[in-house]
């Protein structure tokens, strides 16, 4: 009886898995969409002339024959002007048979870039590949960036978005400790609860900022408060022209004896604006 029941169960599992595998098989139209995110941010660094950005697209299965795909600008919602502010380097891309992806390149011109963000919204067109119902617009936001050395200025910054100490009027001194092996270091004097300085690392070319894990000081429950990059993956950055530093960080607690995590306060924003 047990053997019989086992055979019935095994047959059912085999049938279920076979149906599941069959359900995952797709043999319809390839369908066209942006396949590596639908938004990005870029900077055009002063003195470079331009910055080139890649925009990827794909189809949900490989093509049986080659096809052409065009990248077009939605002028109704874009604030940047094609030909003046930017150029599409390869407005038409041929995807060969057996392939399922391609890439456009967009050149952002320094002459049209501004400190205030400009936005370009792109769409995909093809006479032989239908579009999907998802990921059909790609939004590129970009700004003009001054040299990273211009960020610190007089060194005085207001913590106008303050999540940890909750004092948006607080003013801190930020120092630039220079760049070593392609990585720069900012020091926010006295930001920590224990009076210590907050250390930040930055990329002098992309203006991306990372927050190394570091202690804020002991809390009332016997743990130690820490800060690090946000757990949700949101990136931190700075704008050297506007002297604005935007951090997305995670506040959490560790056991001082074992180093084990005791929980997280969550992800929060900290913003510093030059005075």
């Amino acid at each position: 009886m047990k053997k019989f029941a086992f055979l019935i169960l095994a047959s059912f599992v085999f049938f279920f898995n076979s149906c599941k595998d069959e359900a995952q098989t797709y043999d319809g139209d390839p369908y066209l969409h942006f396949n590596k995110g639908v938004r990005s941010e870029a900077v055009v660094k002063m003195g470079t002339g331009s910055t080139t950005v890649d925009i990827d697209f794909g189809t949900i299965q490989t093509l049986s024959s080659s096809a052409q795909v065009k990248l077009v600008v939605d002028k109704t919602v874009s604030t940047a002007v094609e030909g003046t502010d930017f150029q599409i380097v390869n407005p038409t891309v041929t995807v060969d048979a057996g392939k399922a992806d391609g890439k456009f390149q967009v050149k952002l011109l320094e002459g049209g870039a501004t400190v205030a963000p400009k936005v370009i919204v792109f769409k995909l067109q093809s006479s032989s590949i239908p579009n999907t119902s998802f990921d059909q617009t790609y939004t590129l936001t970009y700004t003009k960036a001054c040299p990273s050395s211009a960020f610190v200025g007089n060194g005085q910054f207001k913590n106008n978005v303050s999540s940890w100490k909750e004092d948006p009027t607080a003013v801190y001194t930020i120092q630039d400790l220079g760049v070593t092996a392609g990585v720069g270091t900012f020091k926010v004097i006295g930001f920590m609860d224990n009076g210590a300085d907050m250390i930040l690392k930055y990329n002098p070319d992309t203006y991306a900022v990372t927050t190394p894990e570091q202690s804020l000081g002991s809390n009332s429950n016997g743990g130690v408060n820490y800060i690090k990059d946000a757990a949700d993956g949101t990136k931190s950055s700075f704008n050297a022209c506007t002297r604005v530093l935007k951090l997305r960080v995670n506040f959490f607690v560790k056991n001082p004896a074992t180093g084990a995590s005791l929980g997280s306060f969550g992800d929060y924003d900290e913003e510093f604006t030059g005075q």
Side-chain angles (χ1 to χ4, degrees):
M1 184 69 177
K2 289 182 179 178
K3 181 178 180 181
F4 180 69
F6 175 79
L7 290 174
I8 293 177
L9 176 61
S11 298
F12 175 77
V13 171
F14 175 79
F15 174 76
F16 175 78
N17 287 332
S18 298
C19 292
K20 184 172 67 174
D21 291 340
E22 182 178 350
Q24 291 176 340
T25 301
Y26 177 78
D27 194 30
D29 290 328
Y31 289 108
L32 185 64
H33 62 102
F34 293 105
N35 66 345
K36 292 186 179 179
V38 293
R39 64 179 60 249
S40 64
E41 296 183 358
V43 295
V44 183
K45 197 171 181 179
M46 184 181 295
T48 60
S50 65
T51 295
T52 300
V53 177
D54 292 336
I55 298 179
D56 295 274
F57 70 93
T59 56
I60 61 175
Q61 71 170 8
T62 57
L63 301 184
S64 58
S65 60
S66 64
Q68 290 189 328
V69 179
K70 295 179 65 177
L71 184 69
V72 296
V73 179
D74 187 343
K75 297 179 181 179
T76 63
V77 289
S78 299
T79 59
V81 179
E82 186 174 4
T84 301
D85 300 329
F86 69 94
Q87 300 168 347
I88 302 177
V89 178
N90 53 340
T92 301
V93 171
T94 298
V95 182
D96 295 330
K99 301 293 185 180
D101 53 29
K103 180 182 298 184
F104 295 101
Q105 289 191 316
V106 177
K107 181 181 288 187
L108 306 174
L109 305 177
E110 181 185 346
T114 57
V115 174
K118 285 191 174 182
V119 177
I120 318 170
V121 179
F122 296 102
K123 293 185 177 182
L124 297 168
Q125 286 184 355
S126 176
S127 60
S128 54
I129 310 175
N131 293 67
T132 65
S133 59
F134 57 87
D135 294 348
Q136 287 301 297
T137 59
Y138 188 99
T139 302
L140 173 60
T141 304
Y142 71 100
T143 58
K144 184 176 183 178
C146 298
S148 58
S149 58
F151 169 71
V152 167
N154 64 1
Q156 299 301 295
F157 289 79
K158 181 181 289 187
N159 190 194
N160 53 294
V161 177
S162 178
S163 301
W164 183 250
K165 293 189 174 180
E166 297 183 340
D167 181 7
T169 66
V171 176
Y172 294 92
T173 298
I174 297 182
Q175 297 176 344
D176 186 350
L177 302 186
V179 178
T180 302
V183 179
T185 303
F186 290 138
K187 179 192 288 187
V188 184
I189 304 298
F191 179 80
M192 304 301 192
D193 286 359
N194 58 6
D197 307 326
M198 177 167 61
I199 299 299
L200 304 170
K201 299 296 183 178
Y202 70 90
N203 185 316
D205 296 318
T206 66
Y207 307 97
V209 175
T210 57
T211 306
E213 183 177 308
Q214 54 201 288
S215 170
L216 288 165
S218 299
N219 65 25
S220 58
N221 295 317
V224 178
N225 297 323
Y226 277 79
I227 186 174
K228 63 179 180 180
D229 283 332
D232 65 8
T234 304
K235 306 302 182 183
S236 301
S237 63
F238 71 96
N239 188 312
C241 296
T242 59
R243 299 183 62 220
V244 174
L245 170 64
K246 293 184 177 182
L247 301 180
R248 181 69 172 169
V249 293
N250 182 268
F251 298 109
F252 66 105
V253 182
K254 277 187 175 183
N255 183 315
T258 66
S261 175
L262 297 177
S264 172
F265 295 104
D267 295 334
Y268 291 91
D269 296 314
E270 294 281 346
E271 183 175 297
F272 297 85
T273 300
Q275 300 302 290

